[in-house]
Amino acid sequence: MASTPTSAYGADLQPFAGIASFMRRPVTRDLTGVDVAVVGVPYDGGTSYRSGARFGPRKIREASLLLWGYNNALAVKPLDVLSLVDYGDVDVIPPSIVDTMENITREVGAIVDAGTTVIALGGDHSISLPLLRAHARRFGPLSVVHFDSHPDTWETEYGGRPYSHGTPFRRALEEKLIKPGSYIQVGLHGPTSDARDWQDARDLGVRVITMDEAAAMEIPAVVAAIRETVAGPTYLSLDIDAADPAFAPGTGTPEVGGFTSHQLLQLVRGLKGLELVGFDLVEVSPPYDHGDITALLAANLVFEFLSLLALGKVKA
Amino acid sequence: MASTPTSAYGADLQPFAGIASFMRRPVTRDLTGVDVAVVGVPYDGGTSYRSGARFGPRKIREASLLLWGYNNALAVKPLDVLSLVDYGDVDVIPPSIVDTMENITREVGAIVDAGTTVIALGGDHSISLPLLRAHARRFGPLSVVHFDSHPDTWETEYGGRPYSHGTPFRRALEEKLIKPGSYIQVGLHGPTSDARDWQDARDLGVRVITMDEAAAMEIPAVVAAIRETVAGPTYLSLDIDAADPAFAPGTGTPEVGGFTSHQLLQLVRGLKGLELVGFDLVEVSPPYDHGDITALLAANLVFEFLSLLALGKVKA
Amino acid sequence: MASTPTSAYGADLQPFAGIASFMRRPVTRDLTGVDVAVVGVPYDGGTSYRSGARFGPRKIREASLLLWGYNNALAVKPLDVLSLVDYGDVDVIPPSIVDTMENITREVGAIVDAGTTVIALGGDHSISLPLLRAHARRFGPLSVVHFDSHPDTWETEYGGRPYSHGTPFRRALEEKLIKPGSYIQVGLHGPTSDARDWQDARDLGVRVITMDEAAAMEIPAVVAAIRETVAGPTYLSLDIDAADPAFAPGTGTPEVGGFTSHQLLQLVRGLKGLELVGFDLVEVSPPYDHGDITALLAANLVFEFLSLLALGKVKA
Amino acid sequence: MASTPTSAYGADLQPFAGIASFMRRPVTRDLTGVDVAVVGVPYDGGTSYRSGARFGPRKIREASLLLWGYNNALAVKPLDVLSLVDYGDVDVIPPSIVDTMENITREVGAIVDAGTTVIALGGDHSISLPLLRAHARRFGPLSVVHFDSHPDTWETEYGGRPYSHGTPFRRALEEKLIKPGSYIQVGLHGPTSDARDWQDARDLGVRVITMDEAAAMEIPAVVAAIRETVAGPTYLSLDIDAADPAFAPGTGTPEVGGFTSHQLLQLVRGLKGLELVGFDLVEVSPPYDHGDITALLAANLVFEFLSLLALGKVKA
Amino acid sequence: MASTPTSAYGADLQPFAGIASFMRRPVTRDLTGVDVAVVGVPYDGGTSYRSGARFGPRKIREASLLLWGYNNALAVKPLDVLSLVDYGDVDVIPPSIVDTMENITREVGAIVDAGTTVIALGGDHSISLPLLRAHARRFGPLSVVHFDSHPDTWETEYGGRPYSHGTPFRRALEEKLIKPGSYIQVGLHGPTSDARDWQDARDLGVRVITMDEAAAMEIPAVVAAIRETVAGPTYLSLDIDAADPAFAPGTGTPEVGGFTSHQLLQLVRGLKGLELVGFDLVEVSPPYDHGDITALLAANLVFEFLSLLALGKVKA
Amino acid sequence: MASTPTSAYGADLQPFAGIASFMRRPVTRDLTGVDVAVVGVPYDGGTSYRSGARFGPRKIREASLLLWGYNNALAVKPLDVLSLVDYGDVDVIPPSIVDTMENITREVGAIVDAGTTVIALGGDHSISLPLLRAHARRFGPLSVVHFDSHPDTWETEYGGRPYSHGTPFRRALEEKLIKPGSYIQVGLHGPTSDARDWQDARDLGVRVITMDEAAAMEIPAVVAAIRETVAGPTYLSLDIDAADPAFAPGTGTPEVGGFTSHQLLQLVRGLKGLELVGFDLVEVSPPYDHGDITALLAANLVFEFLSLLALGKVKA
C-alpha cells in the first residue's frame, strides 16, 4: 500500500483541520493488504423526491473526522485492527442509471474480488442493486439485512421502468442475488402507494418487521429476529430514512415516525458475530441536512459496522 | 364536480413534479358530491412569538405530495373512498383578526353547511375559534380533542384583548361552542405565565392530560382517556407544537419536552371510530422549519385524520 | 378553456395565500384559445455539480405570485392581453436522460403544434435540446439568444456521452435546429475545461459576447449586437447562472463574476420587437437558494418575456 | 439620564460579547438630556407577503454592535457628539393594526414631544403612518424623502381596508402630514398591480425617481433632485427593499433590480445638511436573511443617519 | 440595585419585542441584594471542532424571552422568589485561553464572593475550570454533577497543552477543586480517542453513568445515583451535547445517540433539594442551530435550575 | 513526488464526486519538484466577531473542484504549467495564538525555504503575520498588496494584546517584514473605531486606496496605483471582506459597501507580471456562507493568483 502517509491528511490534527478522506485514511486505489475500502457512490438519479444524495459521500467523509477512534460499546478500536483506505468515488453517470450501475458493479466488483470488504456510501438506494451484483458474484447469493422505511421492492417505477431507488431489491431477488428466506427488512413505516407494497415484499419471501412492530417488540427482540433470519455471507443495506426525520432530516424521501439514532446504533451493533461481507449506507442528502446531523449519524453507523468487521477479524 | 382532472396537477408524476395542490386533488370551489375539502387559513397575526404560519398551508400542501396514498397502519386508501378537493385558501386579513375571523366563519361555514367535512390548515391557533363557530352552527356544541403544549384558554392577551392565539378555546367555551365535559387537552408542557394557566383550563371543565402525565400513562391510556371524554360530533384541533421541537422546529412558540412524531401518529389513530366532524392543524411556521420536517409531520397527521374519515365512511 | 376559475387559486388574495400555479393561472391541459402555456420541466439529471433543479418549476411558480401584474418598464399588463395557463409539468424520468428528452419533445411539441407559445421552466440546461427539437419541428431552424456563463457546446460529457447539461447546443447545431449565423451567446465567464471551449462555440458559428466584453460594451451595445444577429422565429434560452452568484446563489454550477439582476432585466427587455417563439429559463436550484432570491429573479425574467409576448400580440 | 452604565452592556467588549442594545447604549426610558432615541416597532401585520419583520429591531440591534463608531466618509464619531439611548420597543398588537398605530403614535409622540429625535426600526412599512402622525404633530407638515421599491400610496389594500404596508403614504398625504410638493420617492422598480400605481403617486404630488431613472442619472444627480425637493423639517423613510435582494434578501416583499448597498450609503449621506427630524428603517425580515447581511446593511444605514444628526448638532 | 426598570426591556411585551436581556431582567453590575446573576462567558477558543459558542450567551438570552415565568413541574415562579439580574458578559480573549481563564475567575469570583449565585452561559466547556476555581475559592471543594457526552478529563489536548474544552475536569481534580468521591458524570456516549478515556475518568474517582447505562436504568434510577454521590455545595455543569443532535444540533462536538430534551429536563429537576451553588450551561453553538431549538432547550434547562434555586430559597 | 495519483481523488470525475483536495491535486508533504503548495491555516481565534474561518480551507478546497482548469481571461491552464500539490493544513492551536503563529511560521517557512510558492487558505487575518515572517525570512522585506475592508494595523486589540486579526500588518511593519513605501491597501470601507484608524495606516507609510476612492477611480486606475507602489518580491493578502456581503456573506466581520466579485477578479488579474512570491486568502467563514458563494469566490480568486504564477513561470 504505497500511498500518502496519513499525517498529510491531518491524522494528528483536530477534526476541523486537514483533508476530509474517510477517517483520514489514505486515498488510494492500491488495495494490497487492504482489509476494508470506503467507496463513495455519488449517484442521485434514482430518487423520486429530493435529489442531493450525490453529495452524501463527501459529507459523510467530513463527518467521519469526528469519529475519535475507539468504540466504547463494542470495545474495539477498528483502525488498530483493520487496514482501511479511502478508495474515492465510483464514476457515476447521472444521465443514465444503466451506465451508472455498470460502473458500480465493475469498480466495486474489482475491489470485492481483490478480497477487500467494501463500505459503500450512497447515493440513493438504487445503488444497492449493482452493489449486490458485485458481492453475489464473489460470495454467491447473500443474506440481506435491510433497514429502511420503504421496502424498495416495487415491480417498476417511473412508468414501467425497472431501475430506480424504489426497485433494487425486487431486481436483486429476481436475479437471485439474495438467498431465499434470508432477507429481512426492518423499519417500514409511512404511507405506501398501495396496500400491496408491504405485502409484495412478504410474498417475495422477505421477512418484514415494520416500525410499529419494532416499537412494540423493542430492539433486542428485533435483533434476535434478524439473527434468526440470516446466515452465511451477509450484506447490510442501511437507508438513513429508517431514522425519523428529527434524527435524519437530510434525506431524499423522509418518512415521519421512524427510529431514533440510539435505536439504530443498537440495531447495527446487534449484528455482532454475523459473517458480514458488505455494507451500503444510502440516501443521505446534504442539501436538506442541518448542522450535518444526518451525515454525522451516517458516519457513526459506518463506524459501528467497521467495528463489527474489526471484531470479526480479531476473532478470526 | 366539474374541475381540472388531476393529471394536470401531476397525479401520475413523482412527488417533485407538478402542482402542489393537496395530494394533487383538484382545486375547486364546486363542492357538489365532495366529502372532504382541505382549506388553507394562512393567518399568523395572532401569534405571540414567531410569525410565518401564513405559509403553513402552502408548505403542508407541498409536503402532501409525498403521501403515497395507502395508510398501512389503518389499512385504508383514503382517496379510493372519499371525494376530496383542495378548496384553496380563505381570504385572511393580516391587519385585523376580527375581519379575518369573520371571513373564516363565513367561508368555512358555507362549506360545512354544504355537508362537506373541512380539514383546515393553519395559520396560527387563533383560527380555531371561527372554525369552531362554523362547525357548532351546524352540529351544535362539539366535543373537542385538543393536542397542544399550551392550553390556549387565556382570559385575554395583548393587554386585555379577547382574540389571539392564546385565547380561542376560552372564547369557544364562553360562546358554548363546546359541549360541557367533552373537551380534553393533551400534551401541555413548558412554562406558563402563571400557576393558574393550566388550572384555569381545568376550572373551565376541560380534562387536561399534561405531557408529563401522558409520558407516565403511555399512549394507549391517553387514547382511552380521550375516548372516555368525548362523544357525538367531535372536533380535533392539533397544534404542531405538541411535538417536541426536534420533531417540529418550524412553529411559532416551540416548547421543549414534547411528543415524538411516532406518539402523535398513534394519538390521532387512536381516534378511530369517533364521530369526527372537523379538524384543524395549526402553527406550522415554514420559515423556521428545516428540511421541511415539520410540514411533513403535519401532512402525515392530516393523512391520518383523512384515513379516519375514510374508515368512517366505509363503515357508514 | 373549461377550467377552474382563478379565484380558486387565490387570484384575489395576497401573495402568501392560495395555490401556487404560475401567476394564479388555471392549471389545465385544455389549450383551446390559449396564447401561452407555462410548462415545468423538472429534470436535474444532466447537471455536473449540484442537483436540485427538479424543484425549480415549483419554486418559480411560488415566486410568480409576487408578480403584481403590470410591467412598468414595458408599459403592459400581460394577463390583460394574453390568455395564459399553467400546463403543469412534463413527465420527466430522472434515471434516463434519453427517455426524459423524448417526453419533453413529445409533450412540449404537442403544445407548440397547437399554436400555443411555451414558457419552459427548468430543470437543468439539458432540457433545451428537446425543447429546441419541439420548436424547430414547427418553426424550422431557429434564431437563438442564449444568456449563460457556459457555452454548453461541449462535444461530449461524462466520458463520451452525448447528452448532459454541457452539450445541448452542440447537439442542436448538429441537428440543424438552429439557423446558421443566427445564434448568439451572451455572458460567458469563469474557467473552462480547456482553451478550446469558447473557441469551439465560435468555430461552430456562434456569436459570443463574453461577460468581460459585455461589461466593457455596456448593455445597450450588447442588445444591439443581439438584434443584429437574430432574425425570424427566435428562441430565448436563459441560464440563471449568467447572473452572479450574489444575485442567483440557487443554481447548479455557479460562476462568480456574472451579471447583476438589473442587467439581466435590461437584456431581456432589449429583445422587444423580435419574433419570439419560445423560451426556457433553466438551472434554478432551490436547495441552494436563500430567501428565494434566485427563484424571484427567475420569475421576474419570465415576466419580462411574457410582457414581450404581450407587446407582440398587441402590435399584431 | 440615570441608567445602567454602558460597560454592563459590553461597551468595552468585542462585538460578539455582551447585551445587544443599539450600539451598547443604555436601555432606558428616561429621556432627560437625550438627543436621539432608537425605538423598535416590531409590527409585521401589515405586510402582504412574508411576515417576520417583527424581529427586525432585535436583529438590527445585534448588527449594530459591529458599528465600530467612527464614520470615515462623513468624518464624525456620532456617539462623541450625540446623547443616544435605546428606548426599547413600542407595545405593538399584532391582531390589530389600528390599536398598534395608536400605540406607536402615542409612545413615539411622547418621545418626539420631549425634544428627542427618534430613529424607528421596523417592522413593516405600515408603521410610517403613525410615525408621521407623531412627527407632524410637533413639526407640522413634513418634507419626506422615501427610498423604496414600492410607492406605498395605494388607495386601499386587503379588499378596501385603509391600513396596511401598501397605503401609509396615501393616508399621510390625505391627513396633510406631508408638505405639498416636498415629498420624493426614490428607487421604484418591479411590477405593480396596475399602470396607475406609480402615476397615482405622481398625481398626488409626489416627485418620483424610479430605479431605472436613478441608474441612468447616477447617484449625485439623484441626490441633487432630493435636495431640490425637500426643505424644512424632513423625515426619511427607508424601506430596505429599495436594495436589490442580493444585498437585502431578508425583507417582506423583495423586488429584483434594486440599489446596491454602496448606492444606498451614498444616497443617505447625500442628505447631509438637511433639517432631518425623523427616520424609519423598515421591512427587515430576519427569517429570510442570510448571514445577517440585511440587518447589517440596515444598521449601517442607521449609522449614516445618526452621523448626519451628529454633523447637524456640531454645526448648530 | 439601582438600574433600569424591566419595562424598558419589554417585560410587559410579547417575546418577539424588546431587549434580549435574560428573561428581561435588568442589565447591571450592581449586585446589592441580588440572589442570582446570569453571566455570559462567550469563549469558543477551546473547542476541537466547530466554533461558534461565543454566540451562545446572546442566543440563550434571546430564547429566554419565551420562558413565560411559572414552572409547572416544580410549581414555582422563580422571579417571584429570587432577585435575578443579567450581569452581561465576561471579557473573554479569544487569542489566549490563559488570559481568558484569568478574567473568568476574577470576574465571576467577585460575583460569587458577593454572595450572588452565578448561572454561567457558555461558551465552550473549557470555561468550567475557571468557574470551578471561582466557586471553590468560596465554597471549598465542590460536589459536581456533570451532564455530557464526553468526560472532558483528558490529560492534555492539542499536542500536550493543558487547557482546552477536553481537559477542564482533569485540571479541576488535580487542583482539588472537586471533593473526592463527589463527582458524577452522566450521559457519556460516542467514540473516544482511546479505550482509556472513560476509564481514566473512573480511575480519577469519578462516578460514571454512560448513556447506555442511563437508558437501561431509566431516569429515576439515574437521579437516585446522582443524589447518592453528591453532598454539600454542589456545582452543576451541563454540556448541551449530552442531548442527541436531533434535540441539540447547535453544538460544537455533537455525538449521536444522546438524551432527549424530556430526559434532560427530568434530570435537572431531579436535583431538587441539593445544595446547589453554581451552574454552567455550555457548548451551545448558534451558527449550527436551526429554528433556535438548541438555544431554547438551553434556556429551559437554565429555567429549571433557576426554579431549583427558588425552591431552595423558599425552603430556607 | 511519490504520491497518490490524481485519479484516486477523482480528477476524471465530475465536481460532485471524489475527494476534496485542492483541485484534486495530490495530498502530500513531499515537495520535490513542486512549484506551488496550497496550505490550509484553519485558525479562527483572532477574530473579533464571527468565528468559523477554521472551516475556510476545507470549503475552499471543496469549491475548487468547480474550477474547470483553463483561465479564459488570462489564457493559461495553470496545472499544465505548474506542479501543484495540496499540502494539507498547518497544525493550529485554537487556545493560543502565539503557539499557532509559531507553528505557521515553522511549517510554512519550511515550504518556502524548499523553493515552493505557498498559497495559504485562512483562517482569520491574524495568520498573515506568521506567513509574512516565513516569507521575509527567505525573500527579505516584501512588497505587499493588501485587499481588505479594514487596515488591520491596529496598535493592539483585546485590551492591549499585540496579536489578533486586527493587528498583523502593524506588527509586520514593526518587524520590518515589509519594504518601506511598498505596501498598498485597497478597499477600506465601513466604520472604524476611531478617526485615526485609516490615518494610522497612512502614517505608517502605507498607501491607502479606500473603497470610495476605488469606486471613483475605477479599477484600471487602481491597478496602476498598485503597480506604481510595489516592486520586487511581492506578497498578496486578500481578505474576502473586501467584497460586499452580497458577494461574500460568509466572513467574520462583514462591512457593507464593498467590491463586487467582478471587480475583485479584475484587481487580482491586474497583478500580472509582478514578482509574486506569496499569497493568503483569509476570513472565509463557512457557517455564515450561503450556497457556498463566498467559498466559490475565494476559490476563483486563488485560481487567478495561480494563473499569474503560471504566466510567470511560462515567461521565466
Side-chain angles (χ1 to χ4, degrees), chain A residues 63-118:
Chain A
S64 78
L65 305 186
L66 258 187
L67 299 167
W68 304 96
Y70 180 74
N71 187 320
N72 286 286
L74 293 171
V76 67
K77 193 168 185 177
L79 298 192
D80 283 355
V81 178
L82 297 168
S83 165
L84 174 73
V85 301
D86 191 327
Y87 175 88
D89 284 1
V90 170
D91 182 13
V92 304
I93 312 292
S96 169
I97 200 171
V98 173
D99 292 359
T100 296
M101 292 198 302
E102 283 175 14
N103 283 8
I104 298 170
T105 303
R106 188 183 61 250
E107 289 201 48
V108 172
I111 305 171
V112 171
D113 290 348
T116 296
T117 302
V118 167

Side-chain angles (χ1 to χ4, degrees), chain B residues 98-120:
Chain B
V98 173
D99 292 359
T100 296
M101 292 198 301
E102 282 174 15
N103 282 8
I104 297 169
T105 303
R106 188 183 62 251
E107 288 200 51
V108 171
I111 305 170
V112 171
D113 291 347
T116 297
T117 302
V118 167
I119 290 180

Side-chain angles (χ1 to χ4, degrees), chain E residues 147-165:
Chain E
F147 298 124
D148 204 336
S149 66
H150 312 95
D152 293 355
T153 46
W154 279 346
E155 178 60 41
T156 60
E157 204 181 356
Y158 293 109
R161 280 164 190 84
Y163 304 121
S164 77
H165 80 153

Side-chain angles (χ1 to χ4, degrees), chain B residues 158-232:
Chain B
Y158 293 108
R161 281 165 188 83
Y163 304 121
S164 77
H165 82 152
T167 63
F169 293 94
R170 169 76 70 130
R171 291 294 91 72
L173 288 161
E174 292 168 352
E175 297 181 16
K176 308 205 180 304
L177 309 174
I178 300 177
K179 196 161 60 172
S182 292
Y183 175 14
I184 184 164
Q185 296 181 343
V186 177
L188 304 191
H189 64 276
T192 51
S193 296
D194 218 289
R196 291 194 332 266
D197 287 24
W198 293 2
Q199 191 52 44
D200 276 2
R202 290 190 178 96
D203 292 347
L204 290 163
V206 186
R207 180 164 183 181
V208 172
I209 299 180
T210 68
M211 181 66 218
D212 282 340
E213 290 165 352
M217 296 162 72
E218 302 199 346
I219 299 301
V222 178
V223 166
I226 294 170
R227 303 179 75 94
E228 281 167 26
T229 307
V230 301

